[in-house]
Amino acid sequence: MILEYENIDNINRYKLMSDTVIPRPIAWIVTEDEGVINAAPFSYFTPLSSDPATIVVSIGHKEDGSQKDSLANILKHKKATICFANIDNLDDLKKSAISLPKNESETKTFNIDTHRTLEDYPPMIKSSHTALFCDFYSQIDIPGKTVPLVLELKFQYIQDERINDKNHINLENIARCGSYFKVMKDI
Ligand SMILES: Cc1cc2nc3c(=O)[nH]c(=O)nc-3n(C[C@H](O)[C@H](O)[C@H](O)COP(=O)(O)O)c2cc1C
């Protein structure tokens, strides 16, 4: 069967693409504005290059057409902390997907502990085993309501016991395959 994307509506394109490009990482993007810590889950992201160390994340808009808070904060402050999900914080992550008013913090509302690991970056989610501290690099202009942002990795937090002297990292992150959540483990 050949599927012609031009003739498929957006919802079905999303279903097809997210069932095919698997797994997708699940992570909070933590940003800040005017003292409010914003933490929202994202999955449409992928590594782009190691030099410069960059990832791309695609952020949509709110139902009213305004920018999602994560997008607005990254474009304004040029900083984001990406905190990966694991089996112990998945429930918190799902809760924090709700769209709150911009001056309301998901971490406060849902009692999600954060830790200011690096002074110049938004705090990380305490229960994450690893986090990437990123600067805004560029925006990719495509038509439609999704804004792909390129973020440059400047620092990474990793729990000491999860990295060895050869820089091999051992994580059991949560990923998304289609609409399912899966724990990523070695086989
Ligand atoms: C597992 C999961 C993955 C998500 N991935 C994305 C994504 O890649 N892009 C996006 O725009 N929204 C994604 N969302 C929805 C956002 O988390 C949601 O719109 C959130 O309210 C945005 O919050 P903000 O306005 O504080 O940025 C995802 C939600 C969940 C639960």
Side-chain angles (χ1 to χ4, degrees), residues 14 24-27 29 31 38-45 57-62 67-73 90 93-102 104 106 146 176 181:
Y14 176 81
R24 304 197 312 284
I26 300 289
I29 295 186
T31 54
N38 194 87
F42 288 87
S43 66
Y44 250 56
F45 67 77
V57 57
S58 285
I59 306 184
H61 280 74
K62 295 186 184 185
Q67 288 179 337
K68 289 193 184 181
D69 299 341
S70 308
L71 176 62
N73 291 351
L90 185 59
L93 175 129
K94 287 179 183 169
K95 279 187 225 160
S96 60
I98 194 164
S99 183
L100 295 178
K102 190 156 187 317
E104 215 177 301
E106 291 82 4
T146 306
R176 212 165 191 201
F181 291 92

Side-chain angles (χ1 to χ4, degrees), residues 168-186:
H168 287 134
I169 281 182
N170 174 25
L171 290 168
E172 290 180 10
N173 283 349
I174 302 285
R176 212 165 191 201
C177 298
S179 54
Y180 296 98
F181 291 92
K182 300 210 172 163
V183 180
M184 303 312 293
K185 283 188 179 181
D186 291 346

Side-chain angles (χ1 to χ4, degrees), residues 2-165:
I2 296 290
L3 302 165
E4 190 177 9
Y5 273 70
E6 199 175 308
N7 297 325
I8 301 169
D9 64 26
N10 283 348
I11 290 175
N12 282 295
R13 282 182 188 178
Y14 176 81
K15 279 164 62 181
L16 292 167
M17 289 173 70
S18 58
D19 275 347
T20 304
V21 184
I22 55 171
R24 304 197 312 284
I26 300 289
W28 274 281
I29 295 186
V30 186
T31 54
E32 276 180 307
D33 185 41
E34 297 186 0
V36 178
I37 298 173
N38 194 87
F42 288 87
S43 66
Y44 250 56
F45 67 77
T46 192
L48 198 59
S49 157
S50 310
D51 183 20
T54 43
I55 59 144
V56 64
V57 57
S58 285
I59 306 184
H61 280 74
K62 295 186 184 185
E63 277 178 18
D64 65 7
S66 63
Q67 288 179 337
K68 289 193 184 181
D69 299 341
S70 308
L71 176 62
N73 291 351
I74 293 172
L75 293 176
K76 183 170 173 189
H77 297 286
K78 319 289 185 206
K79 300 276 177 196
T81 300
I82 298 174
C83 303
F84 290 85
N86 55 62
I87 196 71
D88 299 323
N89 59 27
L90 185 59
D91 286 343
D92 283 344
L93 175 129
K94 287 179 183 169
K95 279 187 225 160
S96 60
I98 194 164
S99 183
L100 295 178
K102 190 156 187 317
N103 59 1
E104 215 177 301
S105 167
E106 291 82 4
T107 55
K108 245 188 188 165
T109 303
F110 300 114
N111 290 318
I112 301 170
D113 287 339
T114 58
H115 181 257
R116 177 83 52 186
T117 310
L118 295 177
E119 206 46 50
D120 291 340
Y121 288 85
M124 61 172 283
I125 304 291
K126 220 172 175 178
S127 55
S128 283
H129 300 156
T130 190
L132 306 172
F133 299 89
C134 302
D135 289 356
F136 170 78
Y137 188 88
S138 64
Q139 178 178 326
I140 299 169
D141 289 322
I142 55 170
K145 290 186 180 156
T146 306
V147 181
L149 297 182
V150 180
L151 302 176
E152 184 173 9
L153 282 56
K154 291 294 190 181
F155 301 94
Q156 175 167 3
Y157 162 81
I158 175 89
Q159 288 181 334
D160 291 347
E161 64 276 19
R162 293 185 183 274
I163 185 165
N164 71 15
D165 55 3

